[in-house]
Amino acid sequence: MVPVQPTGSSTSVPSAADTELHRRLVYGDESALTEAYRIYGGLVRGVAARVTRSPVAAEDVAQEVFAQLWSRPYAFDARRGSLRTWLSLLAHRRAVDWVRGEARHRKHRHADDSALHAIPDAGPGPDETVVDRERALLLHTALAELPQPQREVVHLAYFAGRTYRQAAAELGIPEGTAKTRLRTALRTLAESLADPPDPALERGA
């Protein structure tokens, strides 16, 4: 938190206008929220854009910041600084959360891709080995044993070429649900295919 300057700096000390605006927000005056967005919207988007490097993400962050200002106006303490400073810090915090979330998303996507590489081609060719045929059979069996919701997402994502977002839209489910189902299904498939049986051993060789 930027310290309050006793000299009355406009960036850290709440003005009379800020105090009045905050009072109106506390009393649920919707026009106060509109006014706050008009005054500070550009500032919030600018802070968010510098952190996320994404105009779209900056807009999302701004919506979250002003939603919090509207739903929790008491979170702002005028004794600790100006509304401008508080909104800037909140925008920065939300933007950092967005960046971290994107990093986690990329990590999970990489893990999902790695798991996918463990899955053999579902269509064996005439020149494939016995082990390849065994793995293909295991894949079909493992797919059939998946719960239907997971099987639907896998089919759309890896056999119909959809992204998980597109799969979510087609299935009418939240994106987070689609991603969770896909990740769970891939993990299950990878575990099922980790140790395919040795045909020689099964023949008693």
Side-chain angles (χ1 to χ4, degrees):
M1 176 65 70
V2 176
V4 175
Q5 300 294 329
T7 57
S9 170
S10 60
T11 61
S12 59
V13 176
S15 65
D18 272 358
T19 301
E20 175 60 18
L21 188 61
H22 182 236
R23 185 191 67 80
R24 289 164 56 198
L25 286 165
V26 169
Y27 280 95
D29 184 348
E30 292 184 6
S31 66
L33 181 63
T34 301
E35 184 175 344
Y37 189 86
R38 177 181 60 80
I39 297 172
Y40 299 116
L43 169 72
V44 169
R45 289 193 300 273
V47 170
R50 284 194 295 273
V51 176
T52 64
R53 301 185 183 277
S54 166
V56 175
E59 288 290 346
D60 291 343
V61 168
Q63 290 182 15
E64 292 180 7
V65 167
F66 285 98
Q68 179 168 339
L69 177 64
W70 174 248
S71 63
R72 298 178 57 201
Y74 287 106
F76 167 63
D77 185 352
R79 295 171 299 179
R80 301 182 63 185
S82 68
L83 184 59
R84 176 188 181 90
T85 299
W86 185 77
L87 289 173
S88 296
L89 292 173
L90 184 57
H92 185 272
R93 189 178 305 123
R94 294 275 183 169
V96 169
D97 288 343
W98 183 90
V99 171
R100 289 173 176 167
E102 282 296 295
R104 287 193 296 270
H105 170 68
R106 286 193 295 270
K107 180 179 179 182
H108 291 321
R109 184 171 56 194
H110 176 72
D112 291 343
D113 290 343
S114 298
L116 178 62
H117 292 323
I119 301 175
D121 190 346
D127 297 328
E128 289 182 293
T129 64
V130 173
V131 173
D132 290 330
R133 291 195 295 271
E134 288 287 345
R135 289 179 66 83
L137 179 60
L138 282 173
L139 171 61
H140 287 297
T141 302
L143 281 170
E145 292 177 351
L146 288 175
Q148 182 177 350
Q150 294 179 20
R151 193 164 60 245
E152 290 174 341
V153 177
V154 170
H155 173 76
L156 288 173
Y158 292 110
F159 295 98
R162 307 292 197 275
T163 66
Y164 80 86
R165 290 187 173 90
Q166 291 170 335
E170 290 193 28
L171 295 173
I173 60 178
E175 291 181 2
T177 300
K179 185 160 55 174
T180 298
R181 289 179 184 177
L182 182 59
R183 188 181 304 125
T184 302
L186 287 174
R187 187 178 299 113
T188 300
L189 290 174
E191 290 173 355
S192 299
L193 301 170
D195 297 301
D198 187 336
L201 292 177
E202 293 199 347
R203 291 195 300 269

